[in-house]
Amino acid sequence: MNIVIIGAGAAGLTTASNIRKYDKESQIIVFTTQKNVAYSPCAIPYVIGGHIDSFDDIIMHKPGEYMRKNIRIMTETKVVQINNDITELVYEDKDGNKQNLKYDKLVIATGGKPFAPPIPGKDLQGVFKVRTVEDGQQILNYLDNVENAVLVGGGAIGLELGTELAHRGLNVTIAEMVPQLFPRSFDKEMSDKFQEYLESKGVTVFTGSAVESINGETKVESVTIDGVERPADLVILSTGVRPQTELAESIGCKMGKFAIEVNDHMETSVENVYAVGDCVQVVDAITGDITLSPLGTTAVRQGIILAKHLTGHDISFKPVLNSTVSQIGQMEMGAVGLTQQAAEKAGIDVVVSEIDTLSRARYYPGSKPLHIKLVSKLDGTIIGCQMFGQEAVAEKVDTMSVIILQKLKCDEVVSMEFSYAPPVSMVVDPIAQAAEDCLEQLEKLSPEVTEEISETEYVESTPDEEVEEISEAEETSEEEAEETVSEDTEESSDDESFTQYLRNQGLIE
C-alpha cells in the first residue's frame, strides 16, 4: 500500500512508526508544515525556564532517522488539496513547487491550531503563541529586554509558562476570562489552592478578567485588563487550540459537534480516510458525551490503534477520562474524570470528599503535603479525582484512572491492596483515605440511597508471626495503623492545614 499521513505530531508519527513495526513493505510518506518533528510541545515551558538546556534536547528524532526505517518525512511541505475520487493529493514545498501524489490510505493527523482571541493589538511585536519549537525559540530570544510579561489564559501552558518566567525574574501576570484557573480539569476550590501558590511566588493572577487590548505603536507596551492599563513588554496567548479540520471537511468527512467524527477504528465517513489526534472528537468514558481530548497520551494511543487496525489487528479505541498532570514551580497538580461542577452540569448527583494528607509516612524525613478531592456518585461509584501536592501526584492520578475505568466503588477502594514503605508511601494510601471519607459521607445519607453500599473495615492480613513482629516493630499493627490514619488526618486538618504547611515550608508566604 501507499500510505500518506498528513501531520507529523504525536499522532501522525506514532501511526507511521507502528505501521512500519507490523508492515515492512508498504510505502509511508508523512507531510508536515513544520521544520522540526518528533518533539514534545509540553516541554517548551521548561526549556524557557532553564530546566532543560536547549530546544534541541526535546527533539527526539530527526527526519533522517525515520528515513532509515523507510518512512519518508516531507518537512516544510503543505498538502493544499485532496481529490478523494481519484485518491490523489497535491502538496506544495516551501519554495512554492507543487506536485501530485497518489495514495491508497490517507491519515489526517493535522492536530490543532492555536486559538487567537480577537484582541486589538494581537499582531504587535512581542505577542507570541506557544505551539512549536520555533514559537518557544522566538520567546526565548525576545526575553533579553523583557521586564513585564502577561499571559492570556489560565490553562496548563499558561500556568507552567507563567511560573517559569517568574523563575527567570520577570514580573508575570496571568489573566483568565472565567472565574478560576484551569477550569476544564479542576473545581474552583482546588484551583484556588494553586492560584494562592502562584501569587506567593510573585505572579499576579486575574480570574474572571478579560484582556481588552494589547497596546503599543509597533511593539507591546502595555495591556488593558478590565479597564485598567498595565505595563507589558511581552504577551503570550495561551488560550488553547482548536481542531484543524479544513482538509477533512474539503473531502466530505463527517464533522461532529467539535471535530472530525471517527469510529473506534479511527475511520472517518470517507472510505480509506482515517483521522487521529487533536483534530478528532472522542467519547467521554463517564457520561458517554462527545468531547475533545487534546492530550499527547490520547494522540499516541490513537496512532497505535490505527496502525494496528491498518495492519490487520483487532483493536479499538476506548472512551477517554482525560487524565492530566502538570507541574508549577515545586508543586504538582493532577486530575482525572469529572469535576464536581461537570458532574452536576451533566445531572449527576454526587458527594465529594476533600482531605489533607501526606505523600509518605508522616515521621519519615521529607514527607510532603497532598490534598485530594474525590467525586463519587450516590451509589459509591468514583467518577472523578483532583490532587495538588509536591510529589506522587502523577502516580496516584494513574491509579485513579484505573479505578474509575473499572467503575469501582468507594468501599472497594477502601479495601484495595496498596504497597507501603515509609520513604515512599503511607500505610493506608491517601486514595483509600479519600475513599473512606467519601464512604462516611454516603453513609450519612438516607438508607434508600446508601443501601447498596456495604460497610467496609480495614482488615490487615498477618499470615505468620514474622509479619506480625515486623508490624509490631514498625508500630503499624492493624489497630495502630487505624489510629495513625486518624491521627494523621486530625493533625493535618486541625494542627497544621495544607496551606499552613506550605507556609511553614517556605513554599508560599
Side-chain angles (χ1 to χ4, degrees), residues 66-80:
Y66 286 95
M67 197 64 196
R68 286 194 286 274
K69 295 192 292 184
N70 197 22
I71 298 172
R72 186 179 181 186
I73 311 289
M74 304 286 286
T75 59
E76 298 180 275
T77 303
K78 183 178 182 180
V79 174
V80 294

Side-chain angles (χ1 to χ4, degrees), residues 186-446:
F186 295 89
D187 288 308
K188 188 176 187 306
E189 69 272 16
M190 291 294 290
S191 72
D192 286 347
K193 292 183 182 298
F194 42 82
Q195 179 173 335
E196 181 180 5
Y197 174 75
L198 285 166
E199 290 172 339
S200 75
K201 296 301 180 184
V203 177
T204 301
V205 179
F206 293 100
T207 56
S209 299
V211 175
E212 297 164 357
S213 65
I214 303 170
N215 313 312
E217 293 188 7
T218 58
K219 64 179 183 178
V220 175
E221 298 174 8
S222 67
V223 298
T224 301
I225 302 175
D226 292 344
V228 179
E229 189 172 348
R230 303 178 185 277
D233 311 302
L234 169 75
V235 173
I236 298 175
L237 303 176
S238 55
T239 46
V241 298
R242 299 292 184 271
Q244 195 157 263
T245 61
E246 292 83 359
L247 282 174
E249 292 181 69
S250 72
I251 59 173
C253 289
K254 185 178 180 181
M255 294 294 117
K257 183 178 180 180
F258 299 113
I260 303 170
E261 185 176 296
V262 293
N263 63 16
D264 57 8
H265 296 308
M266 312 314 297
E267 297 170 321
T268 72
S269 61
V270 176
E271 188 177 4
N272 295 319
V273 178
Y274 308 81
V276 287
D278 291 3
C279 61
V280 308
Q281 62 183 29
V282 295
V283 177
D284 185 281
I286 299 171
T287 65
D289 294 336
I290 298 300
T291 187
L292 293 172
S293 187
L295 303 169
T297 50
T298 299
V300 167
R301 284 188 293 130
Q302 289 177 340
I304 292 171
I305 284 165
L306 174 57
K308 288 189 172 184
H309 173 68
L310 289 174
T311 53
H313 295 77
D314 184 15
I315 188 170
S316 301
F317 182 73
K318 306 299 183 185
V320 304
L321 288 175
N322 277 338
S323 60
T324 183
V325 66
S326 183
Q327 183 173 25
I328 54 172
Q330 294 174 271
M331 305 301 290
E332 301 173 4
M333 53 189 184
V336 59
L338 296 184
T339 61
Q340 180 182 359
Q341 56 199 26
E344 291 171 350
K345 185 177 179 180
I348 303 172
D349 293 325
V350 297
V351 296
V352 301
S353 69
E354 287 194 59
I355 65 165
D356 289 334
T357 183
L358 297 169
S359 60
R360 319 177 192 182
R362 64 187 177 91
Y363 53 79
Y364 195 88
S367 183
K368 308 296 185 184
L370 180 64
H371 187 84
I372 299 180
K373 178 174 182 177
L374 211 60
V375 182
S376 165
K377 293 167 65 175
L378 298 188
D379 68 353
T381 305
I382 298 171
I383 59 173
C385 183
Q386 301 158 51
M387 302 185 196
F388 185 56
Q390 285 182 258
E391 65 180 10
V393 170
E395 299 94 316
K396 295 193 181 302
V397 166
D398 290 342
T399 301
M400 288 306 309
S401 295
V402 177
I403 287 170
I404 294 172
L405 281 174
Q406 293 299 314
K407 300 181 180 179
L408 298 185
K409 296 186 177 183
C410 292
D411 60 337
E412 295 174 296
V413 174
V414 166
S415 59
M416 276 178 60
E417 181 177 355
F418 292 90
S419 61
Y420 163 65
V424 294
S425 60
M426 298 186 70
V427 66
V428 178
D429 193 90
I431 291 172
Q433 294 178 41
E436 173 67 22
D437 184 75
C438 212
L439 186 61
E440 290 174 358
Q441 294 186 56
L442 287 164
E443 290 173 342
K444 292 176 184 178
L445 300 177
S446 65

